[in-house]
Every structure is written in C-alpha cells, then in structure tokens.
Amino acid sequence: MKNETRDIVFFDGDCNFCNSSVNFIFEKRSKNNIYFASLQSEFAKKTLPSSLVNQSEFNTIYFYSGGKIHNRSSAILRIVKHLKQPFRSGIIFLIVPKFIRDFFYKIVAKNRHRIIESTVTCRLTSTEERKFFLDNE
C-alpha cells in the first residue's frame, strides 16, 4: 500500500450487515477523513495484499491507517476513534486483549448474514459522497 495516505475501511460489499456498518460509520464520522472500499473491488485487489482479497468468504473488516492494516476488532476500534462522541468513547475497549475482542468479533462475523437479512436495496450516494467510495479507482 505504498503511497496511500488515506484512512480506508475495507469491507464485504456483499454483506448487508457490513453495508449497514459502512452507512453508520459514514454518518457518524467526525470529519471527512475515512474512505471505503469493498473487498471485492478492483481497488482492494490492487491495494491490499493478495492473501486478504483472494478468499472465498470475506468475513473480516480491515482498516488501513497510518501505514498499517488493522483487522477484526482492532480495525473497528481504530475506526471508532474517528467517530463523533459518544461513539468515540468505544476506543477504551483497546485495553481488552485482542484474542478476547476477536472471539466476540468472530461470533458476530459468523452470524452477520442472519443479523441483518438480505435486501435488494443499496445505499444511493450523492455526487459529493461518491468520492469517499473507492471501488472504481
């Protein structure tokens, strides 16, 4: 990810739970400093290591920030740092060991398709919002 300076959330673009999470992050971010790309996108394929995008199931969220790729609960907690209050306060959970946080993350990830049922509607982005979605770069 050489020369990439943006903070980017990589998510499963075929998952309604993940898309709902992206909508939440987009609406609650404190500044316009977070970008988004689905793991199935050409942008993700050319940007992320191939081991992260050549999977049969995309059950992990990644957050690229400050030259590092964070995954699972660490990604979520680093994203939370960029949200408005009171959501930003969730950063406190970084004190919980990663293996414990990831245990709960994996339970949610395994059941995410049941948590939010499949629908046929997608977020319609305005021209202004589209610049934050990197799928077509």
Side-chain angles (χ1 to χ4, degrees):
M1 296 194 61
K2 297 176 185 174
N3 302 323
E4 184 58 66
T5 58
R6 297 174 286 195
D7 293 334
I8 306 169
V9 175
F10 292 93
F11 64 98
D12 180 355
D14 292 332
C15 169
N16 285 317
F17 181 84
C18 302
N19 282 304
S20 294
S21 299
V22 165
N23 288 338
F24 178 84
I25 295 165
F26 191 86
E27 292 168 8
K28 304 300 182 191
R29 62 198 168 136
S30 61
K31 298 177 186 170
N32 291 339
N33 60 348
I34 297 179
Y35 294 81
F36 305 89
S38 71
L39 287 165
Q40 294 88 346
S41 70
E42 288 303 315
F43 179 82
K45 290 175 185 168
K46 72 178 184 182
T47 307
L48 290 172
S50 62
S51 61
L52 302 182
V53 291
N54 292 333
Q55 303 176 42
S56 62
E57 185 177 336
F58 296 106
N59 59 5
T60 301
I61 189 171
Y62 299 98
F63 184 56
Y64 177 80
S65 181
K68 290 185 174 183
I69 299 173
H70 305 279
N71 68 1
R72 298 187 180 95
S73 65
S74 294
I76 291 169
L77 292 175
R78 283 176 173 76
I79 292 166
V80 162
K81 187 170 106 176
H82 295 276
L83 302 182
K84 297 173 186 170
Q85 287 293 5
F87 308 105
R88 186 180 305 150
S89 301
I91 195 76
I92 190 76
F93 289 103
L94 276 173
I95 64 172
V96 176
K98 183 171 171 47
F99 76 93
I100 294 172
R101 295 188 327 253
D102 282 352
F103 171 80
F104 292 103
Y105 175 94
K106 289 174 184 176
I107 291 171
V108 172
K110 182 178 179 182
N111 295 293
R112 71 190 191 281
H113 295 289
R114 284 185 279 204
I115 294 171
I116 296 183
E117 295 289 329
S118 179
T119 63
V120 292
T121 59
C122 296
R123 175 186 183 89
L124 295 175
T125 56
S126 69
T127 305
E128 180 65 23
E129 291 175 337
R130 274 189 210 116
K131 68 181 179 184
F132 296 99
F133 292 87
L134 307 174
D135 286 2
N136 295 321
E137 265 192 30

